């Protein structure tokens, strides 16, 4: 089976006394609208010569318009999907997720080129993310982020 390695992040921001997380609506030009209602975390392929943490921060910047700083690694998720556009090949995918913190930038301020991959990026309340993200593995990462925030409330404030 083909294998793919990606890396992504939860970008947290404390505002109005609440924690928010940056999410995206993925979408790709030429792809049918079957991902229209998907809400996901920013992520992408680990390029040659890049560490997974570097990939996560680069993808955050490209897909959300935000600059973030690394806090900690949260974990890996795994899934299998079928490449419908390439002979129905099956792909086993591992995605590493990092907890990061907002530093600068305006959400959804992304290049035209990225619009082919991201319909929209926006802030979601972190406590709602485990119920609103589309994929089970990403929901679990949001739960982990909530636990981290509770356990480290003093140092993050
Ligand atoms: P990347 O963002 O890593 O560059 P991509 O857009 O090429 O990736 P995926 O986001 O992995 O690819 O999407 C490929 C297929 O897997 C799609 O059908 C998508 O709906 C599905 N998929 C994406 N994330 C998950 C997940 N966490 N769990 C299960 N299926 C997923």
């Amino acid at each position: 089976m083909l294998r793919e390695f990606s890396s992504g992040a939860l970008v947290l921001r404390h505002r109005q006394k609440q924690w928010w997380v940056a999410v995206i609506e993925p979408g790709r030009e030429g792809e049918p609208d079957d991902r229209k209602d998907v809400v996901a975390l920013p992520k992408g392929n680990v390029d040659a010569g890049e560490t997974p943490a570097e990939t996560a921060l680069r993808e955050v910047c490209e897909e959300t318009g935000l600059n973030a700083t690394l806090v900690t690694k949260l974990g890996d998720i795994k899934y299998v999907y079928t490449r419908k556009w390439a002979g129905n090949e099956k792909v086993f995918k591992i995605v590493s997720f990092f907890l990061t913190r907002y530093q600068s930038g305006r959400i959804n301020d992304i290049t035209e080129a990225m619009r082919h991959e991201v319909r929209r990026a926006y802030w979601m309340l972190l406590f709602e993310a485990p119920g609103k993200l589309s994929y089970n593995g990403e929901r679990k990462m949001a739960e982990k982020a909530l636990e981290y925030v509770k356990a480290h409330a003093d140092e993050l404030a």
Side-chain angles (χ1 to χ4, degrees):
M1 208 188 294
L2 290 170
R3 280 172 174 259
E4 276 179 6
F5 299 96
S6 273
S7 193
L10 287 97
V11 184
L12 301 191
R13 187 175 193 185
H14 198 246
R15 251 195 153 179
Q16 294 149 346
K17 297 184 180 161
Q18 293 198 280
W19 285 99
W20 300 78
V21 59
V23 298
I24 65 167
E25 287 172 5
R28 189 165 286 168
E29 205 183 35
E31 198 178 278
D33 255 2
D34 58 357
R35 283 169 91 179
K36 203 168 63 186
D37 297 324
V38 170
V39 181
L41 297 169
K43 66 165 173 59
N45 282 338
V46 179
D47 287 345
E50 229 178 16
T51 65
E54 285 167 348
T55 305
L57 296 178
R58 175 179 56 75
E59 290 288 341
V60 161
C61 189
E62 291 173 2
E63 297 193 339
T64 69
L66 304 175
N67 296 303
T69 50
L70 197 63
V71 177
T72 189
K73 183 171 173 180
L74 283 178
D76 297 325
I77 69 170
K78 294 164 191 173
Y79 52 94
V80 174
Y81 75 93
T82 305
R83 275 189 183 169
K84 295 193 185 102
W85 66 94
N88 282 336
E89 270 183 294
K90 281 202 167 175
V91 181
F92 177 74
K93 186 150 180 171
I94 301 177
V95 189
S96 297
F97 276 100
F98 294 85
L99 188 67
T100 73
R101 195 157 182 181
Y102 170 83
Q103 192 175 33
S104 63
R106 192 192 278 258
I107 200 152
N108 204 34
D109 192 1
I110 63 175
T111 64
E112 258 325 292
M114 284 312 296
R115 283 283 165 224
H116 301 313
E117 289 183 40
V118 178
R119 288 190 171 85
R120 186 164 78 100
Y122 61 96
W123 292 109
M124 172 181 281
L125 282 168
L126 179 61
F127 82 85
E128 290 185 341
K132 284 191 169 173
L133 285 165
S134 299
Y135 302 117
N136 204 26
E138 296 194 355
R139 289 170 177 240
K140 292 213 172 87
M141 292 297 125
E143 273 163 18
K144 282 196 167 198
L146 271 170
E147 282 165 21
Y148 187 94
V149 163
K150 275 181 200 144
H152 298 80
D154 294 344
E155 59 202 84
L156 288 171

